[in-house]
Amino acid sequence: KDGMVIDFADLKKMVKPIVDRYDHALFLHEAQRGAVNADDALFGRVIFTSYQPTCENILLAIVEELAPKMPEDVKLVAARLQETATSWAEWEG
């Protein structure tokens, strides 16, 4: 009735923990766990995944985490994960 689906402040509360955890992190498959020294400051933000960490798969993981956090009357229907100005993955539910 107010002309918006969800207030940006509410959306930001849901998205911010995901962004804070994933932004500027190095994603590696868990099979590569021994390939880096996670104690080294250079590898301070390493996220090991059970899946191949492509932009597409990371986006699916984000969607799986974000969709259940939506208010009852709101459904997540699209998401985009942008790696660079010309590289991204899009999801439509």
Side-chain angles (χ1 to χ4, degrees):
K1 81 175 189 180
D2 295 327
M4 68 177 151
V5 175
I6 190 170
D7 188 291
F8 279 119
D10 295 335
L11 181 61
K12 185 176 180 178
K13 288 177 191 172
M14 291 183 275
V15 173
K16 187 173 179 348
I18 297 169
V19 172
D20 288 347
R21 184 171 61 250
Y22 287 175
D23 193 29
H24 295 289
L26 171 63
F27 284 79
L28 296 173
H29 188 275
E30 57 193 21
Q32 296 174 306
R33 192 173 292 274
V36 297
N37 179 1
D39 295 330
D40 187 319
L42 180 62
F43 299 108
R45 294 187 54 112
V46 179
I47 296 174
F48 293 98
T49 63
S50 60
Y51 52 84
Q52 186 63 28
T54 62
C55 188
E56 295 86 352
N57 287 337
I58 294 167
L59 176 58
L60 289 175
I62 291 170
V63 166
E64 288 175 6
E65 182 176 347
L66 186 58
K69 294 180 179 182
M70 291 290 162
E72 281 188 35
D73 57 337
V74 176
K75 180 181 177 186
L76 184 63
V77 297
R80 178 174 170 152
L81 179 59
Q82 190 151 347
E83 289 185 288
T84 68
T86 59
S87 177
W88 63 82
E90 293 181 329
W91 169 88
E92 292 184 14

